[in-house]
Amino acid sequence: MKTAVYTMLALAIASLGSGCVNLERSRDIGNPNVSGRTLALQVCSSCHGVDGNSTSPAFPKLAGQQEAYLIAQLKFFRGHNRIDPAGSEYMWGITRKLTDEQIEGLARYFSQQKDAPNVAGDPATVAAGKAIFENGIPDKGVAACAGCHGAMGMGKDTFPRLAGQHANYMMKQLHILSETNQRPAGAMMKPLVHGLTSTDLVAVTTYLQGISPN
């Protein structure tokens, strides 16, 4: 009888142990054997959503983002080369032990997700933002955003997709790029954003947030 009980206990413990090392459900960001896709579903989804469509504007939408851009940003966080407080507070610890393979898997997963529609803004504000995005403001030295981010804000390679992104998140990042050196890789944006007024920034981000996903 005792032998049977011990056997059952041993099997139960073994079962619990095997559940802890289930690589498909693991949240162990320090385990190089956990795939990027699994980390996306088990860890990143807490803030960015299972499909990359974050509901809180505090966290960027990653669905449909450029794969090369995501890889670059994750490596910047891992190497502490991106120090904006809101990002580094969360991302330095998460990326610290990620392998290049895991980072590529994460980027691949989110880049392949479908962007969900975001909130459209006031038509007049949207129109003003569209004009700035497509044409810039030449007399202020502000180049057309579309030149790097694409005609519909979809981005290309390491230039991020902006279409459908949360306006509040973009606004915060534009202020960081304009007023600080916390994102060195985005230094080229500093003189461009500096020429935009608060009204301009609201218009551009409102326009971009409402672009329908592709």
Side-chain angles (χ1 to χ4, degrees):
M1 181 68 176
K2 288 184 178 180
T3 300
V5 171
Y6 290 147
T7 300
M8 291 176 66
L9 286 173
L11 289 172
I13 292 171
S15 175
L16 288 172
S18 64
C20 292
V21 295
N22 183 339
L23 294 181
E24 292 301 314
R25 293 185 174 276
S26 177
R27 296 184 178 180
D28 186 357
I29 55 178
N31 184 347
N33 294 315
V34 180
S35 72
R37 182 181 185 280
T38 295
L39 292 177
L41 293 171
Q42 301 297 326
V43 179
C44 309
S45 60
S46 298
C47 296
H48 298 284
V50 170
D51 59 355
N53 286 292
S54 61
T55 56
S56 169
F59 305 107
K61 294 173 69 175
L62 303 182
Q65 184 56 270
Q66 291 290 325
E67 184 175 341
Y69 175 76
L70 290 174
I71 290 173
Q73 296 306 307
L74 287 168
K75 288 184 176 180
F76 289 150
F77 281 126
R78 186 180 64 181
H80 296 183
N81 296 316
R82 180 173 163 176
I83 58 176
D84 45 308
S88 59
E89 179 182 351
Y90 294 99
M91 297 302 299
W92 280 14
I94 289 174
T95 58
R96 185 166 61 95
K97 293 185 178 181
L98 293 183
T99 65
D100 286 351
E101 184 179 4
Q102 287 173 317
I103 284 176
E104 290 165 6
L106 279 165
R108 187 181 312 113
Y109 172 80
F110 282 118
S111 70
Q112 294 174 350
Q113 302 308 302
K114 297 295 184 183
D115 178 32
N118 216 328
V119 180
D122 168 71
T125 303
V126 169
K130 185 175 187 290
I132 294 172
F133 183 83
E134 294 181 346
N135 306 309
I137 309 178
D139 60 345
K140 290 185 178 181
V142 177
C145 315
C148 293
H149 296 282
M152 293 297 293
M154 299 302 291
K156 183 178 181 181
D157 299 327
T158 55
F159 291 102
R161 169 183 175 150
L162 304 177
Q165 186 59 266
H166 297 303
N168 286 353
Y169 178 78
M170 287 187 285
M171 181 74 76
K172 290 177 183 177
Q173 294 305 309
L174 287 170
H175 279 300
I176 288 171
L177 291 167
S178 173
E179 301 164 8
T180 77
N181 297 312
Q182 295 170 350
R183 295 190 59 176
M188 64 177 291
M189 289 290 297
K190 194 164 191 172
L192 301 178
V193 182
H194 193 69
L196 296 174
T197 66
S198 296
T199 301
D200 294 334
L201 292 173
V202 169
V204 172
T205 54
T206 299
Y207 163 66
L208 288 168
Q209 175 178 264
I211 294 179
S212 298
N214 291 325

